[in-house]
Amino acid sequence: MGLFGNKGSSNDNQPLAPAPFPIGVTPQYISQQEIVLKLREKTLSLSGDSFDITSAQTNQQMFKCNGSVMSLHSKKLFTDPQGNPLLTIARKIFTIHTTFNVYRGKDTDDHLFTVRSHFTFIGTKMTVSFRNQATNQDIELKINGDFFQRNARITLGENGPVVARIDRSFLNLGQVFADNQTYYLRVAPNVDGLMMAAICVCLDEKAESK
């Protein structure tokens, strides 16, 4: 199913302005340049919803995300191209609002950030809460998704600058297999690309649960 549906939409190709300070939880994945990641979803994967994540500019493999259909907490593991664990996404059960906790590597004691949904009649609203590595301050990112326009923006606070943008206008472009869907994630300079990719997967998981 995916986050936004199946029809195409116009793509906003305008570059994002640099974040006012480094934002993220894994500083090694903060770039000084804007990056665009392509997240290809393999919905018929036997291990659960999984993603291949590449650079849209160079087609270089950046990350992999593997799901586990047997996990009680619907866990997903992010790895680098060599298979080294980077992040674990664990969906919290028995909560009114959909909640994901994200941990460093496979260590579910090393909590990095939380993604929590909010009630809304239209689209998706979520909050990302974390301690920013660069400033050692607690920060919130706000996610607003539009199911009709099939896009989402991640902003610094409610009315702050856009730090990442998700689009599905190139859904299935050049693809043959119906079980593959693609997200394009544009990440602003000075923002953690790995963290933004994990947030995108949380959004997709939230949409799948509807």
Side-chain angles (χ1 to χ4, degrees):
M1 295 283 297
L3 177 58
F4 305 117
N6 294 316
K7 295 181 180 179
S9 64
S10 60
N11 185 33
D12 186 351
N13 287 311
Q14 295 300 314
L16 297 177
F21 50 85
I23 295 174
V25 295
T26 51
Q28 63 270 37
Y29 294 108
I30 294 178
S31 173
Q32 299 304 307
Q33 306 295 322
E34 181 185 78
I35 62 172
V36 181
L37 297 176
K38 181 170 68 174
L39 290 81
R40 176 173 291 183
E41 182 183 9
K42 298 179 289 186
T43 58
L44 297 185
S45 168
L46 294 178
S47 63
D49 282 355
S50 298
F51 294 84
D52 283 325
I53 303 169
T54 59
S55 165
Q57 294 104 323
T58 66
N59 208 36
Q60 177 184 357
Q61 182 84 54
M62 301 296 291
F63 314 112
K64 294 181 180 181
C65 176
N66 297 307
S68 175
V69 294
M70 300 303 294
S71 171
L72 178 63
H73 294 274
S74 186
K75 289 184 179 178
K76 296 183 186 295
L77 177 66
F78 267 77
T79 68
D80 65 16
Q82 290 72 44
N84 300 305
L86 299 174
L87 300 175
T88 295
I89 300 174
R91 182 168 182 166
K92 192 173 182 180
I93 60 174
F94 307 127
T95 58
I96 297 176
H97 299 288
T98 305
T99 302
F100 302 92
N101 288 314
V102 182
Y103 305 90
R104 191 184 311 277
K106 288 185 175 181
D107 184 3
T108 52
D109 291 326
D110 192 354
H111 179 261
L112 292 176
F113 62 94
T114 297
V115 182
R116 182 177 292 107
S117 69
H118 303 284
F119 177 77
T120 179
F121 287 105
I122 299 175
T124 294
K125 291 184 180 293
M126 303 183 83
T127 296
V128 184
S129 305
F130 64 102
R131 180 164 287 268
N132 194 44
Q133 287 279 345
T135 62
N136 199 32
Q137 294 179 325
D138 291 333
I139 285 181
E140 286 191 344
L141 303 178
K142 298 295 183 179
I143 306 166
N144 289 279
D146 188 328
F147 278 69
F148 299 101
Q149 295 297 321
R150 300 162 191 84
N151 55 40
R153 299 190 313 162
I154 304 173
T155 60
L156 179 59
E158 192 66 51
N159 300 304
V162 177
V163 298
R165 188 170 65 235
I166 304 164
D167 192 83
R168 287 288 298 275
S169 63
F170 296 108
L171 175 64
N172 290 333
L173 179 64
Q175 298 182 29
V176 177
F177 300 104
D179 62 315
N180 284 342
Q181 294 177 300
T182 301
Y183 296 99
Y184 287 86
L185 171 66
R186 188 179 295 269
V187 182
N190 235 11
V191 177
D192 185 342
L194 173 60
M195 181 182 185
M196 296 303 110
I199 291 171
C200 184
V201 171
C202 291
L203 280 165
D204 182 82
E205 182 77 7
K206 160 66 176 173
E208 292 286 353
S209 68
K210 282 186 174 292

